[in-house]
Amino acid sequence: MLGELSRLLNASGIEVDEAKVKPQHLAEMLDLVDEGTLSVSLGKRVFEEMFYSGKRASQIIAEQGLTQISEAFEIESVVQQVLAANAQAVADFRKGKEQALRFLVDQVMRATKGRANPQ
C-alpha cells in the first residue's frame, strides 16, 4: 500500500497530510482484504477511490459491488462457461501446459470483473 500511496501522491502532486484517505479508513480496507471480503487487486482500486474521494472502503465496495466471490458454487457456473468457450486451452492444460491454466484463470477473473477468488 505504501507504493500505491506514493504513486498517488506523486501523480496528484500533494503531500501525505493533504490526502483525503484517513488512516482508520485504510485500516478498515486492510481488514476487509484480510477477511477475504476484498481481493488485493480490488483493494488497490478501492484504495485509489478512497484517496481521491475520502470515502470509506465499505462504502465504495457497497456502491460498486466489489466484494470478492469466494464461494465455490458462485464461481462454478462462470468456470463452466469459460471452460466451454475455451476448449483449446482446456486441451492444452490436459497436455501439461501450465500457461493454459493461467489463461483460464484470467478468463474467469475477466468474466467476474476481478471479483472471483483465484484460489
Side-chain angles (χ1 to χ4, degrees):
M1 293 311 320
L2 288 176
E4 286 298 305
L5 178 60
S6 294
R7 180 183 68 79
L8 293 169
L9 289 171
N10 290 334
S12 62
I14 64 173
E15 297 295 322
V16 71
D17 59 337
E18 298 172 289
K20 291 182 181 179
V21 65
K22 304 293 180 222
Q24 61 270 29
H25 296 171
L26 178 57
E28 174 196 31
M29 188 201 72
L30 294 174
D31 285 343
L32 292 169
V33 171
D34 284 344
E35 294 167 1
T37 302
L38 188 64
S39 69
V40 172
S41 61
L42 288 175
K44 290 179 182 182
R45 182 170 151 190
V46 169
F47 179 70
E48 187 165 351
E49 177 72 24
M50 290 169 57
F51 180 86
Y52 288 114
S53 71
K55 293 179 182 178
R56 299 178 70 100
S58 55
Q59 181 181 357
I60 295 165
I61 292 166
E63 289 173 355
Q64 297 182 17
L66 297 176
T67 54
Q68 179 169 262
I69 303 169
S70 294
E71 296 296 328
F73 71 90
E74 293 181 74
I75 300 172
E76 187 174 343
S77 66
V78 176
V79 170
Q80 292 298 328
Q81 291 170 4
V82 167
L83 295 177
N86 296 283
Q88 185 60 52
V90 172
D92 290 345
F93 176 70
R94 288 185 174 149
K95 292 178 186 174
K97 295 182 180 179
E98 289 297 315
Q99 287 180 331
L101 178 60
R102 280 180 256 158
F103 170 79
L104 292 167
V105 170
D106 287 346
Q107 295 306 303
V108 171
M109 295 304 288
R110 178 175 289 146
T112 61
K113 297 182 174 117
R115 294 179 51 221
N117 184 337
Q119 306 307 325

